[in-house]
Amino acid sequence: MLLLRRCHSLTRFGPLNTQRHQVTPAVASCAARLCSSSSSSSEDHRSHQRVHSLSWKHALAGLLAGTGAVLAYGLHHQHKAERADTGVQTLKKSSSLPIFSQEEVTKHRSLEDGIWVTYKGGVYDITEFVAMHPGGDKIMLAAGGALEPFWALYAVHNQEHVLEILSDYKVGELNLEDLKKQQAVKSSDPYSSDPERHPVLHINSLKPFNAEPPPEILSDSYITPSAFFFKRNHLPVPQVDPASYQLHVEGLPGGALTLSLEDLKTRFPKHTITATLQCAGNRRSEMNKVKLVKGLNWGIAAISNATWSGARLRDVLLAAGYQPDVAQWARHVQFEGLDTDVTGTTYGASVPLNKAVSEEGDVLLAYEMNGEDIPPDHGFPVRVVVPGTVGARNVKWLGKIIVSAEESSSHWQQNDYKGFSPGTDWDTVDFKSAPAIQELPIQSAITTPADSATIDRSDGTLTVKGYAWSGGGREVVRVDVSLDGGKTWQAAQLRSGEKGQAPEPSPPPGRAWAWKLWEITAPLPPDAQELEIVCKAVDNSYNMQPDTVSPIWNLRGVLSNAWHRVKVKIRKDEEEE
Amino acid sequence: MLLLRRCHSLTRFGPLNTQRHQVTPAVASCAARLCSSSSSSSEDHRSHQRVHSLSWKHALAGLLAGTGAVLAYGLHHQHKAERADTGVQTLKKSSSLPIFSQEEVTKHRSLEDGIWVTYKGGVYDITEFVAMHPGGDKIMLAAGGALEPFWALYAVHNQEHVLEILSDYKVGELNLEDLKKQQAVKSSDPYSSDPERHPVLHINSLKPFNAEPPPEILSDSYITPSAFFFKRNHLPVPQVDPASYQLHVEGLPGGALTLSLEDLKTRFPKHTITATLQCAGNRRSEMNKVKLVKGLNWGIAAISNATWSGARLRDVLLAAGYQPDVAQWARHVQFEGLDTDVTGTTYGASVPLNKAVSEEGDVLLAYEMNGEDIPPDHGFPVRVVVPGTVGARNVKWLGKIIVSAEESSSHWQQNDYKGFSPGTDWDTVDFKSAPAIQELPIQSAITTPADSATIDRSDGTLTVKGYAWSGGGREVVRVDVSLDGGKTWQAAQLRSGEKGQAPEPSPPPGRAWAWKLWEITAPLPPDAQELEIVCKAVDNSYNMQPDTVSPIWNLRGVLSNAWHRVKVKIRKDEEEE
């Protein structure tokens, strides 16, 4: 009965498994491995399910990924995010419950023995909750220990309703001695040194920090000012001392190469490109309206455009011993960030070798953004900029480059940032069946007017603005705009520079890394009281955007690039007074 | 009144201008140039309209392009194509009409002086008809002369209703002496030496020959046998003697290079690729159902897959003196075919230089198709194969290669094979505003069952097959199939080799030139009497096909890649007896 009530309350957070036997394969296999020390001979009754071959280290990285984890909570409670950061409110006290030692708690780290955790002196048996955790497997990391350090990392948990859920699972109290020991280990906030951010940003997650600017800012400026550039962090922002910064380049026949920031700036030509970066989850909120997905509820502004300067990755690889025959065995270039989770695992990703070494690939080890040092939120002192490629591969706070026959084994390369059929759900998904997202498909959106806005009839015309971009260096060649929901279309004016200034020079074929802003002023239909404005873009491979969201829906809510639709009301003349 | 009647009868052939003042800009400017010798000082009253800067030679090439020209006639009368070839049926005789000399007829070559033509001894004033000609400007080439040689080139004219239209414009008879002179110039059939073709092909145009195989043949064979490979000729098939064949390479600092077929085969390594070619107009018939377009009414089979062997264009360009610094001024590589129109102008096209010289571009000067000499219909003895690129750039019967700062100035590069907004019509189109099609977008279609087929319920399952391909070397990674019109989807099995044999090795990133065949067997919904089967493919840049045809409709009917839909009926069990 208690379980049923809890399940009911959880349906607010998305489509979760509500029966224990539906525990996901990843949880099962992880649990099997986690419990192997205490019950190595017992065979989990779900072990017939596929067991991933990921190493322990990378499984942990996945558990801590912070991508899907916190986000289902966040879907409905973003507005509470900042307030929640002030800390815990109340927890039900149940003084009649038994007292446990830490040693006893630590024995409960598997689905067989039960999953116990502690929080502020309470002991909780969350075994039944594991399969329902909106963030998936990551919860297993806390098994047998304290929740506090994890909730410090994924601060979205610090909300009243999360505590309410937790309180239902309380089974006892931690003895006073062990509680004191826990408290002696100060659980400092790993985000305490995150930089200040501009208050205009719309925050989708505070810890890690994920935020987007108001859409109208995007179309007001061809180059997005760094303060307004969307932020997508997976972990706390690392503090890197530029004087002692080292970049390690590994995997090439000549042996490892280590470069200082000064080396990067002085030993290699400085190369500058203008490139748009877009999060794979941009416009995920539109997929959530079809059916809830796991992931940050991005609006249309998880995309921005900047100039980037730095050494070309190609030049650095050549300096490190790259020669064409390396391509006979190597296929990928892996990147590791200096941002780490509680286990010390870094953020990681990889790109195809041919993109990395091509003269036309324009991959940079960038130390400047918009003409200044890259700000902390964007990767100070060095980030990879892989133009035309999904944001997730543009690794920030770059610490290591590895030339390899294999893709990065990181969670984000292997088990995230991939697209699936709309018919695939979390019970049937096989992450090995889909390629890691690299180039992104054609995209566009209307930045103004905003959805649900009311428009003055005024001079009888309406101006619509937006952005359009495509991955892989494919240039946007046309944006069609409709004021009647897609029945009729007009081509918009495209712009590839600041308004009133000369456009940026036309890029060579296949190297159009930057977006185009677009604008159209059209007569308002005389009697219309409402309009459905739609935009769709075309790139120079004549790729078009799909018409609707539902057929491209996928369980991670990535690649949301259907026509963008905005409904506006038109104020009658008499209302204008 | 006569004009109105004629206009009425013409509406059968598509949306034409019916008033003289609506003559298209291209016709106006061409007419202005055509009449310049006889009335050079008179300013055409439509000369305010945009005048193209094309040279005379290339304007002629455009006029003779044979792409849009004959095809609007053909849309409704393909079934008559072969019969019509047997010749003219009857022409109204009007013995009371005046007799004209050829000299008098020749004076009428402009819209001011009137456009006169002759046909089998009759004289016709077709001035009013020029703007209504389904094939556009090309009609101006015949001004002041005989129609016969043009109708021999574009044989679709040899149909009864075309003669009916012509007869309405009769203004006189040619004098007997000039008629005898005309007849002395034997208008031989330029297509008389075209090769034999397999009768299974579905013919969309006989002269020039354009035909596609039955769709189910495509999915039966990963490599399409050459006889069934779709044929898309713009002009008669030239007779080329392989012993005296010469390929000229021009535009590079080292001066011109001339190669024999033997040179190509012996001086350069032989390189083999498997590549799918697709006509820009594949699936045009679906656009015609939305609103009539100009162009051959292709079904879903203007696409095929073959192996191609030959010298790499890169190697030939290097032998001809190409060096990286050429890229500082050159941007394109132009190709000229040996197929010519009545003015001697050849078919032509170009591709970006970086595609041509890239090691990863795999552009071939192919002399073998599927392991044998390239057949005459496919470019014997040498054609360019530009994998990942629209068929139109894969120039057949290759005669000349020119490295240049400019694109090919040919009609097919400049004023055809481009995509436009659905709101653009022939009055507003500006061909300079859109890029020439190079890479094609993601495509897929259902080859079996056929549309309107009736399916046996038999074992309660249905097998659906098809093809999927994307341009630019982007690999198809998924095909979704729906049996309920797009409400729910399942991923199909993909295949990249002959059935039952080992698949072709996985291509390096960006070099997936060949299609994938796909297949899915799904349970028939128990009570369904009718199904709408839909397919859509996804490439590894996660480009998706648009849902519907109407929003991607364009006046030339190219780039038709919306979801493919097939409706089938399910035979009830009792009907099976």
Side-chain angles (χ1 to χ4, degrees):
Chain A
M1 182 62 204
L2 178 65
L3 177 62
L4 280 176
R5 183 164 58 80
R6 289 195 295 243
C7 293
H8 179 73
S9 73
L10 272 165
T11 57
R12 285 178 293 160
F13 310 120
L16 304 170
N17 294 322
T18 54
Q19 295 178 12
R20 192 168 172 180
H21 70 269
Q22 286 181 336
V23 67
T24 63
V27 168
S29 73
C30 180
R33 265 182 264 115
L34 276 166
C35 70
S36 59
S37 61
S38 59
S39 61
S40 58
S41 64
S42 78
E43 192 178 336
D44 187 273
H45 69 282
R46 280 162 231 101
S47 64
H48 66 279
Q49 303 216 41
R50 184 176 38 79
V51 173
H52 295 290
S53 60
L54 292 176
S55 72
W56 240 104
K57 182 179 172 188
H58 294 119
L60 276 175
L63 298 179
L64 284 170
T67 48
V70 284
L71 311 170
Y73 289 129
L75 288 180
H76 300 265
H77 300 278
Q78 286 155 29
H79 60 284
K80 294 185 183 174
E82 289 182 83
R83 195 195 72 184
D85 190 40
T86 60
V88 178
Q89 307 301 311
T90 52
L91 266 186
K92 291 179 195 171
K93 289 282 173 191
S94 323
S95 56
S96 62
L97 291 174
I99 308 289
F100 295 106
S101 67
Q102 181 65 52
E103 190 184 355
E104 182 66 23
V105 171
T106 305
K107 287 177 181 166
H108 294 85
R109 299 181 60 195
S110 71
L111 291 173
E112 288 69 32
D113 301 327
I115 309 288
W116 288 17
V117 295
T118 66
Y119 186 77
K120 291 193 183 292
V123 177
Y124 302 85
D125 177 355
I126 59 167
T127 317
E128 299 284 357
F129 179 72
V130 165
M132 298 182 274
H133 183 228
D137 312 0
K138 297 172 194 70
I139 198 172
M140 292 299 291
L141 257 198
L147 287 177
E148 281 88 342
F150 297 97
W151 286 17
L153 196 66
Y154 306 120
V156 73
H157 290 87
N158 296 314
Q159 299 182 63
E160 204 166 333
H161 69 279
V162 178
L163 297 176
E164 279 170 24
I165 296 165
L166 183 65
S167 68
D168 280 343
Y169 295 98
K170 191 161 185 179
V171 292
E173 306 281 352
L174 194 63
N175 74 38
L176 206 62
E177 194 177 347
D178 287 332
L179 178 59
K180 280 181 185 164
K181 279 186 197 161
Q182 266 196 5
Q183 288 172 339
V185 183
K186 186 72 187 164
S187 66
S188 70
D189 178 2
Y191 293 95
S192 59
S193 54
D194 263 23
E196 288 294 309
R197 282 94 179 198
H198 196 288
V200 79
L201 296 175
H202 174 82
I203 297 171
N204 290 317
S205 152
L206 193 63
K207 298 178 180 183
F209 191 75
N210 288 282
E212 62 190 301
E216 60 269 30
I217 283 186
L218 291 183
S219 50
D220 280 348
S221 183
Y222 183 71
I223 300 293
T224 315
S226 303
F228 302 144
F229 201 101
F230 82 97
K231 325 283 180 208
R232 202 286 176 246
N233 298 343
H234 295 81
L235 294 162
V237 174
Q239 303 291 299
V240 185
D241 171 19
S244 59
Y245 170 79
Q246 287 191 322
L247 175 64
H248 304 281
V249 187
E250 301 178 1
L252 288 167
L257 174 71
T258 299
L259 298 168
S260 68
L261 182 58
E262 190 65 13
D263 289 336
L264 269 181
K265 289 184 176 179
T266 57
R267 286 181 51 187
F268 305 95
K270 183 176 175 180
H271 192 71
T272 298
I273 60 171
T274 302
T276 298
L277 297 187
Q278 182 183 215
C279 177
N282 190 30
R283 299 181 60 197
R284 179 179 284 132
S285 53
E286 292 161 68
M287 286 199 174
N288 269 321
K289 286 176 191 162
V290 172
K291 196 167 79 173
L292 282 185
V293 299
K294 282 188 189 172
L296 291 163
N297 196 39
W298 293 107
I300 63 166
I303 184 171
S304 303
N305 190 46
T307 64
W308 308 92
S309 302
R312 295 203 301 184
L313 175 57
R314 170 187 164 80
D315 296 337
V316 170
L317 291 178
L318 286 169
Y322 177 82
Q323 291 175 341
D325 62 355
V326 167
Q328 290 176 7
W329 58 268
R331 291 282 178 276
H332 305 274
V333 177
Q334 305 175 0
F335 307 115
E336 286 184 11
L338 295 168
D339 46 339
T340 57
D341 63 27
V342 288
T343 72
T345 302
T346 61
Y347 182 81
S350 63
V351 299
L353 177 70
N354 63 343
K355 170 72 177 173
V357 300
S358 161
E359 286 195 66
E360 299 181 340
D362 287 327
V363 181
L364 296 191
L365 306 180
Y367 42 77
E368 285 182 15
M369 176 183 187
N370 292 337
E372 298 180 335
D373 286 349
I374 291 191
D377 261 330
H378 296 286
F380 181 83
V382 175
R383 81 175 296 175
V384 192
V385 174
V386 191
T389 297
V390 63
R393 314 301 170 213
N394 292 250
V395 174
K396 301 193 273 194
W397 315 291
L398 184 67
K400 196 182 282 185
I401 298 170
I402 307 163
V403 177
S404 173
E406 306 295 336
E407 280 189 299
S408 166
S409 59
S410 87
H411 167 83
W412 301 275
Q413 192 83 17
Q414 299 292 334
N415 295 315
D416 199 355
Y417 294 124
K418 297 186 172 189
F420 295 94
S421 173
T424 301
D425 61 25
W426 288 101
D427 288 329
T428 58
V429 66
D430 172 10
F431 271 93
K432 292 209 182 310
S433 71
I437 299 171
Q438 296 285 351
E439 295 180 0
L440 285 171
I442 180 75
Q443 176 69 288
S444 71
I446 298 160
T447 54
T448 173
D451 193 33
S452 309
T454 300
I455 308 292
D456 283 339
R457 184 163 284 285
S458 55
D459 69 347
T461 67
L462 173 66
T463 296
V464 184
K465 296 181 189 178
Y467 64 76
W469 180 76
S470 189
R474 292 180 284 278
E475 186 175 5
V476 169
V477 297
R478 202 179 79 233
V479 173
D480 295 328
V481 178
S482 171
L483 299 187
D484 54 11
K487 290 190 198 74
T488 61
W489 300 89
Q490 302 169 71
Q493 291 287 327
L494 305 184
R495 173 156 66 86
S496 56
E498 299 299 348
K499 205 162 190 176
Q501 294 180 17
E504 301 230 335
S506 194
R511 294 165 83 178
W513 310 125
W515 66 13
K516 296 208 180 169
L517 299 180
W518 56 265
E519 183 170 334
I520 188 168
T521 298
L524 279 172
D527 299 322
Q529 298 180 345
E530 214 175 55
L531 295 180
E532 186 181 6
I533 311 173
V534 192
C535 75
K536 62 181 172 83
V538 183
D539 68 25
N540 65 352
S541 297
Y542 284 101
N543 288 297
M544 325 266 178
Q545 296 177 246
D547 308 19
T548 55
V549 181
S550 179
I552 60 167
W553 184 96
N554 60 84
L555 76 181
R556 274 294 276 121
V558 290
L559 305 157
S560 182
N561 75 328
W563 300 354
H564 188 223
R565 296 162 188 268
V566 158
K567 283 189 180 159
V568 297
K569 287 189 176 152
I570 301 172
R571 186 180 283 124
K572 289 179 193 158
D573 286 342
E574 55 266 40
E575 291 176 7
E576 287 174 26
E577 303 306 309
Chain B
M1 181 61 202
L2 180 63
L3 177 61
L4 279 176
R5 183 165 57 81
R6 290 194 297 243
C7 292
H8 179 72
S9 73
L10 273 163
T11 56
R12 285 177 294 159
F13 310 120
L16 303 169
N17 294 322
T18 53
Q19 295 181 12
R20 191 167 172 181
H21 71 266
Q22 286 181 334
V23 67
T24 63
V27 168
S29 73
C30 179
R33 265 181 264 115
L34 276 166
C35 71
S36 60
S37 60
S38 60
S39 61
S40 58
S41 64
S42 77
E43 191 178 337
D44 186 274
H45 69 283
R46 284 166 226 95
S47 63
H48 66 279
Q49 306 218 39
R50 183 175 37 81
V51 174
H52 294 291
S53 60
L54 293 175
S55 73
W56 240 105
K57 182 179 173 191
H58 295 119
L60 275 176
L63 295 180
L64 284 171
T67 48
V70 284
L71 310 171
Y73 289 130
L75 287 182
H76 301 266
H77 301 277
Q78 287 156 28
H79 61 285
K80 294 185 183 175
E82 288 182 85
R83 194 194 75 187
D85 191 40
T86 61
V88 178
Q89 307 302 311
T90 52
L91 266 186
K92 291 178 192 169
K93 288 283 174 193
S94 324
S95 57
S96 62
L97 291 173
I99 308 289
F100 295 106
S101 68
Q102 181 63 55
E103 189 185 358
E104 183 64 26
V105 171
T106 304
K107 287 177 182 166
H108 294 84
R109 300 181 60 198
S110 71
L111 291 173
E112 289 69 33
D113 301 325
I115 309 288
W116 288 16
V117 294
T118 66
Y119 186 77
K120 293 194 181 291
V123 176
Y124 302 85
D125 176 357
I126 59 166
T127 318
E128 299 284 358
F129 179 71
V130 165
M132 298 182 277
H133 182 226
D137 312 358
K138 298 169 194 70
I139 198 172
M140 294 298 292
L141 257 198
L147 287 177
E148 281 88 342
F150 296 97
W151 287 16
L153 196 66
Y154 306 119
V156 73
H157 291 87
N158 295 314
Q159 298 182 67
E160 203 166 334
H161 68 277
V162 178
L163 296 175
E164 279 170 23
I165 296 166
L166 182 65
S167 68
D168 280 343
Y169 296 98
K170 191 160 189 180
V171 292
E173 306 279 354
L174 195 61
N175 74 37
L176 208 59
E177 193 177 346
D178 287 332
L179 178 60
K180 280 180 186 163
K181 279 186 196 162
Q182 264 196 6
Q183 288 171 338
V185 183
K186 186 74 186 160
S187 66
S188 71
D189 179 1
Y191 293 95
S192 59
S193 54
D194 263 23
E196 288 294 310
R197 282 94 179 197
H198 196 287
V200 79
L201 296 174
H202 174 82
I203 296 171
N204 291 317
S205 154
L206 193 63
K207 299 179 179 183
F209 190 74
N210 289 283
E212 62 190 300
E216 60 270 30
I217 283 186
L218 291 183
S219 50
D220 280 348
S221 184
Y222 184 72
I223 300 294
T224 315
S226 303
F228 302 143
F229 201 102
F230 81 98
K231 326 281 182 207
R232 201 284 176 249
N233 298 342
H234 294 83
L235 294 161
V237 174
Q239 302 292 298
V240 185
D241 172 16
S244 59
Y245 170 80
Q246 288 191 322
L247 174 64
H248 303 282
V249 186
E250 301 178 0
L252 287 168
L257 173 72
T258 297
L259 298 168
S260 68
L261 182 58
E262 191 64 12
D263 289 336
L264 269 182
K265 290 183 176 179
T266 56
R267 285 182 50 187
F268 304 94
K270 183 177 175 180
H271 192 73
T272 298
I273 60 171
T274 303
T276 299
L277 297 187
Q278 182 182 214
C279 177
N282 190 31
R283 300 181 59 197
R284 180 181 282 130
S285 52
E286 292 160 67
M287 285 199 175
N288 270 321
K289 286 177 191 162
V290 172
K291 197 167 80 172
L292 283 183
V293 299
K294 282 189 187 172
L296 291 164
N297 196 38
W298 294 106
I300 63 166
I303 182 170
S304 304
N305 189 46
T307 64
W308 308 92
S309 302
R312 294 203 303 183
L313 175 58
R314 170 187 164 80
D315 295 338
V316 170
L317 292 178
L318 286 169
Y322 176 82
Q323 291 175 338
D325 63 354
V326 168
Q328 290 176 9
W329 59 268
R331 292 281 179 277
H332 306 274
V333 177
Q334 304 175 2
F335 307 116
E336 285 183 13
L338 295 167
D339 45 338
T340 58
D341 63 27
V342 290
T343 71
T345 302
T346 61
Y347 182 80
S350 62
V351 299
L353 177 69
N354 63 343
K355 170 73 177 172
V357 299
S358 161
E359 286 195 66
E360 299 181 340
D362 286 327
V363 181
L364 295 191
L365 306 180
Y367 42 77
E368 284 181 16
M369 176 182 187
N370 292 339
E372 298 181 334
D373 286 349
I374 291 191
D377 260 331
H378 296 287
F380 181 83
V382 175
R383 81 174 298 176
V384 193
V385 173
V386 192
T389 297
V390 63
R393 315 298 170 216
N394 292 252
V395 175
K396 300 193 273 195
W397 315 291
L398 185 68
K400 196 182 280 186
I401 298 169
I402 307 164
V403 177
S404 172
E406 307 295 335
E407 281 189 299
S408 166
S409 59
S410 88
H411 167 82
W412 299 276
Q413 192 81 18
Q414 298 293 332
N415 296 314
D416 199 354
Y417 294 123
K418 296 185 172 190
F420 295 95
S421 173
T424 300
D425 60 27
W426 288 100
D427 288 330
T428 57
V429 64
D430 172 10
F431 272 93
K432 291 207 184 311
S433 70
I437 299 171
Q438 297 284 353
E439 294 179 359
L440 284 172
I442 178 76
Q443 175 70 288
S444 72
I446 298 159
T447 54
T448 175
D451 194 32
S452 307
T454 300
I455 308 291
D456 284 340
R457 185 164 283 284
S458 54
D459 70 345
T461 66
L462 173 66
T463 296
V464 184
K465 296 181 189 179
Y467 64 76
W469 179 74
S470 189
R474 291 180 285 277
E475 186 174 5
V476 170
V477 296
R478 201 180 78 232
V479 174
D480 294 328
V481 178
S482 171
L483 300 187
D484 55 10
K487 288 190 201 74
T488 61
W489 301 90
Q490 302 169 73
Q493 290 287 327
L494 305 183
R495 173 157 66 89
S496 56
E498 300 299 348
K499 205 162 188 174
Q501 294 180 16
E504 301 231 334
S506 194
R511 295 165 83 177
W513 311 125
W515 66 11
K516 297 210 179 167
L517 300 179
W518 55 264
E519 183 171 333
I520 188 168
T521 299
L524 279 171
D527 300 321
Q529 299 180 346
E530 213 176 54
L531 295 180
E532 185 180 6
I533 311 172
V534 192
C535 75
K536 62 182 172 83
V538 183
D539 68 24
N540 65 352
S541 298
Y542 284 100
N543 288 297
M544 325 268 179
Q545 295 178 246
D547 309 18
T548 56
V549 181
S550 179
I552 60 167
W553 183 96
N554 59 85
L555 76 182
R556 275 293 277 118
V558 290
L559 305 158
S560 183
N561 75 327
W563 300 355
H564 188 224
R565 295 162 190 270
V566 157
K567 282 188 180 159
V568 297
K569 285 188 178 153
I570 301 172
R571 187 181 282 124
K572 289 179 194 157
D573 288 342
E574 54 267 37
E575 291 175 8
E576 286 174 26
E577 303 307 308

